[in-house]
Amino acid sequence: MSLDRHYHKGLQLISHCPLCQSHYPPRETTVLDARDDAHLIYLHCNTCGSSIVALVALDERGVFSQGLLTDLSREEVMRFHKGAEVNPDDVIEMHKVLTN
Ligand SMILES: [Zn+2]
């Protein structure tokens, strides 16, 4: 199963800020990592200033998204990501823990 045709549905799940419910402007969305079954995305809310790192991925039940509030700026996330501090597998692991 490819994520491509589910990706926009997944994005819709995280299209609103979890704190203030504002709609994220598309240009504030940065894809940090993309592979066949998972996209790691950074979102910044201009309304309340919060940022989340979100994973849109597929599991056996279909597409899901998991957001993590972060204090990191986009640049910091990119840097940490390159250092493998944040990767899709970690977030998938967390998703499994939270849903079990
Ligand atoms: Zn917000």
Side-chain angles (χ1 to χ4, degrees):
M1 187 155 56
S2 163
L3 179 61
D4 285 351
R5 68 196 178 87
H6 300 281
Y7 181 57
H8 289 284
K9 186 184 161 207
L11 267 187
Q12 281 167 14
L13 297 172
I14 51 163
S15 63
H16 291 79
C17 174
L19 294 186
C20 71
Q21 310 302 318
S22 292
H23 201 276
Y24 287 120
R27 64 187 176 80
E28 296 300 323
T29 302
T30 305
V31 177
L32 299 172
D33 195 11
R35 60 184 206 201
D36 285 352
D37 63 344
H39 281 53
L40 194 64
I41 298 159
Y42 179 88
L43 298 149
H44 179 73
C45 177
N46 283 332
T47 306
C48 70
S50 63
S51 300
I52 67 168
V53 174
L55 179 78
V56 176
L58 288 172
D59 66 10
E60 54 285 353
R61 282 167 303 206
V63 69
F64 71 91
S65 70
Q66 186 78 58
L68 281 171
L69 269 175
T70 179
D71 294 330
L72 301 177
S73 70
R74 190 189 318 255
E75 289 70 26
E76 286 169 331
V77 170
M78 299 284 263
R79 196 163 67 229
F80 282 126
H81 179 57
K82 289 205 176 71
E85 294 282 336
V86 179
N87 73 64
D89 291 325
D90 288 344
V91 189
I92 289 171
E93 233 5 83
M94 194 189 69
H95 171 74
K96 285 180 180 159
V97 169
L98 292 176
T99 52
N100 283 340

